[in-house]
């Protein structure tokens, strides 16, 4: 209910909205609206009220509440359902639980902070409160399980376009799941799935976007390898607007793939790639080898030319380093 009130007040762009209008639109009494306004004020919203005019928003707290996101969200399906946490262990864990409880495709789990944010290959993910976008989305694609890496590539393309649209910053994609700026990590993507032999039950795409983390806020070891939009642009970025844009780009890409196949996304991924054409070191559990990253195939596997043969590398437990 509060999320709907906020959406209406935000869309009024600072104009008053009458209590009677809100009550009728949301099928509740004017007293109920008033009670919700009081709770919103306690949550940090500065809402002005004037007799005979109604309510208007003067300022909103910097939060990723469903109300803040939906006020700027332009999607048809993605984010229709948003589960919001002040803090959670990992949004991917919360998303898995929701998926097992039959959450609809496109459900978004977002948290201001994560206590045990997870990265690839058992790594952690630094997730300080209100400084980034830590979220996961549930998909139920009709792909075969071996095609699931396509979701990671699709997510990488979507976030790259969203960052460019909102901030004008051009970033690069390092195979399979890192978004880099000047060699430093800006975004990480963790795709996880639950599948049978021949069909996917659900895919969780988890994204960590370093938005408003200052240099001082980053532990020194992380600061060596990671950056944030604040550090790149020198200005705070609206997390709600960026998340809404990410969801829009993701939705467009997902339905394009459904309708026209994967080739357009693959071509876009190649355009943004900072891996292809470079000499790389491939580190897997069993071996380490060097070669040139020459292409990715239709399943999102990286093709490495070692000089003797072309090796097909799947995302799984592999990590890639520059061989320079
Ligand atoms: C990586 O680069 O290793 C992937 C990092 C993914 C981090 C995000 S933050 C939101 C979601 N929840 C998690 O626990 N991890 C992902």
């Amino acid at each position: 209910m509060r999320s709907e009130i906020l959406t209406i007040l935000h869309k009024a762009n600072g104009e008053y909205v009458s209590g009677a209008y809100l009550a009728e639109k949301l099928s509740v009494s004017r007293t109920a609206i008033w009670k919700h306004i009081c709770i919103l004020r306690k949550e940090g919203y500065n809402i002005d009220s004037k007799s005979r005019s109604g309510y208007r928003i003067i300022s909103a707290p910097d939060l990723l509440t469903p109300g803040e996101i939906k006020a700027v969200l332009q999607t048809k399906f993605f984010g229709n359902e948003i589960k919001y946490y002040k803090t959670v262990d990992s949004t991917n864990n919360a998303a898995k639980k929701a998926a097992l409880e039959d959450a609809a495709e496109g459900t978004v789990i977002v948290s201001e902070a994560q206590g045990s944010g997870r990265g690839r290959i058992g790594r952690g993910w630094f997730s300080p409160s209100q400084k980034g976008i830590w979220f996961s989305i549930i998909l139920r694609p009709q792909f075969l399980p071996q095609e699931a890496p396509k979701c990671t590539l699709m997510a990488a393309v979507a976030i790259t376009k969203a960052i460019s649209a909102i901030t004008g910053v051009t970033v690069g994609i390092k195979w399979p799941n890192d978004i880099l700026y000047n060699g430093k990590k800006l975004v990480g993507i963790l795709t996880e799935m639950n599948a049978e032999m021949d069909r996917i039950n659900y895919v969780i795409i988890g994204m960590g976007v370093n938005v408003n983390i200052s240099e001082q806020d980053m532990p020194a070891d992380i600061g060596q390898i990671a950056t944030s939009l604040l550090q790149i642009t020198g200005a705070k970025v609206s997390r709600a607007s960026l998340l809404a844009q990410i969801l829009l780009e993701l939705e467009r890409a997902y339905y394009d793939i459904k309708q026209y196949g994967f080739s357009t996304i693959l071509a876009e991924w190649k355009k943004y790639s900072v891996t292809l054409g470079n000499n790389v070191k491939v580190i897997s559990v069993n071996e380490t080898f060097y070669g040139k990253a020459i292409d990715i195939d239709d399943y999102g596997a990286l093709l490495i030319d070692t000089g003797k043969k072309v090796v097909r590398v799947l995302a799984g437990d592999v990590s890639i380093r520059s061989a320079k």
Side-chain angles (χ1 to χ4, degrees):
M1 171 66 60
R2 284 193 284 288
S3 139
E4 278 107 345
I5 295 176
L6 282 174
T7 306
I8 296 174
L9 292 183
H10 272 302
K11 290 200 166 144
N13 278 325
E15 296 293 317
Y16 284 99
V17 180
S18 76
Y21 175 83
L22 286 167
E24 199 199 312
K25 197 92 185 135
L26 303 174
S27 310
V28 292
S29 68
R30 285 166 66 178
T31 316
I33 297 289
W34 168 248
K35 283 185 183 155
H36 285 298
I37 296 282
C38 291
I39 296 173
L40 287 170
R41 282 178 176 150
K42 283 201 186 110
E43 285 177 1
Y45 288 88
N46 185 353
I47 300 173
D48 177 30
S49 57
K50 198 167 157 191
S51 58
R52 279 195 280 276
S53 297
Y55 305 101
R56 74 185 166 113
I57 285 203
I58 294 176
S59 67
D62 177 19
L63 293 176
L64 288 178
T65 54
E68 288 305 297
I69 299 165
K70 285 187 177 176
V72 281
L73 192 61
Q74 296 172 59
T75 53
K76 278 206 178 76
F77 306 108
F78 284 17
N80 279 357
E81 190 63 46
I82 299 176
K83 286 181 194 291
Y84 171 76
Y85 295 86
K86 277 256 152 71
T87 187
V88 71
D89 57 347
S90 149
T91 57
N92 267 37
N93 294 352
K96 260 185 223 172
K97 199 164 165 274
L100 290 170
E101 287 162 4
D102 282 339
E105 177 160 78
T107 297
V108 168
I109 318 293
V110 61
S111 186
E112 300 293 352
Q114 294 183 117
S116 319
R118 295 191 286 109
R120 273 180 75 232
I121 327 177
R123 296 183 188 130
W125 185 259
F126 178 58
S127 321
S129 184
Q130 288 180 254
K131 305 278 180 181
I133 301 175
W134 326 124
F135 85 99
S136 306
I137 185 163
I138 299 169
L139 299 182
R140 300 185 185 278
Q142 312 271 296
F143 305 156
L144 292 168
Q146 58 268 35
E147 292 177 289
K150 287 178 177 175
C151 292
T152 307
L153 303 188
M154 172 188 86
V157 169
I159 178 76
T160 299
K161 289 165 91 170
I163 288 175
S164 165
I166 296 290
T167 67
V169 172
T170 303
V171 295
I173 306 174
K174 178 185 162 216
W175 184 90
N177 68 329
D178 291 349
I179 304 297
L180 304 184
Y181 181 83
N182 273 351
K184 284 189 160 183
K185 187 141 158 175
L186 185 61
V187 180
I189 302 167
L190 180 65
T191 307
E192 298 179 298
M193 77 165 164
N194 176 307
E196 316 287 322
M197 285 298 282
D198 56 351
R199 77 182 190 101
I200 292 176
N201 295 325
Y202 64 80
V203 167
I204 308 289
I205 302 178
M207 276 199 204
V209 189
N210 297 333
V211 184
N212 295 322
I213 313 182
S214 66
E215 253 178 274
Q216 301 89 285
D217 283 342
M218 261 185 189
D221 54 334
I222 296 179
Q224 301 278 318
I225 51 167
T227 187
S228 75
L229 288 170
L230 172 69
Q231 291 172 40
I232 296 165
T233 64
K236 262 188 97 175
V237 172
S238 160
R239 293 181 306 141
S241 303
L242 181 54
L243 177 51
Q245 191 68 30
I246 296 169
L247 294 177
L248 182 65
E249 299 291 357
L250 264 178
E251 183 175 275
R252 280 182 183 152
Y254 189 57
Y255 288 99
D256 273 1
I257 293 173
K258 269 195 177 178
Q259 220 177 335
Y260 308 113
F262 194 57
S263 58
T264 315
I265 294 297
L266 202 57
E268 286 189 295
W269 189 96
K270 289 181 188 179
K271 190 173 88 187
Y272 299 127
S273 164
V274 291
T275 303
L276 296 183
N278 290 330
N279 292 319
V280 294
K281 179 180 178 183
V282 180
I283 307 161
S284 74
V285 187
N286 302 323
E287 55 170 351
T288 295
F289 63 92
Y290 292 84
K292 185 174 181 176
I294 51 169
D295 206 353
I296 53 167
D297 68 16
D298 292 350
Y299 290 88
L302 188 63
L303 304 181
I304 311 279
D305 184 352
T306 65
K308 295 193 185 104
K309 57 182 177 177
V310 173
V311 183
R312 187 171 177 267
V313 179
L314 284 163
D317 289 339
V318 171
S319 100
I320 295 282
R321 301 259 190 290
S322 164
K324 276 178 219 145

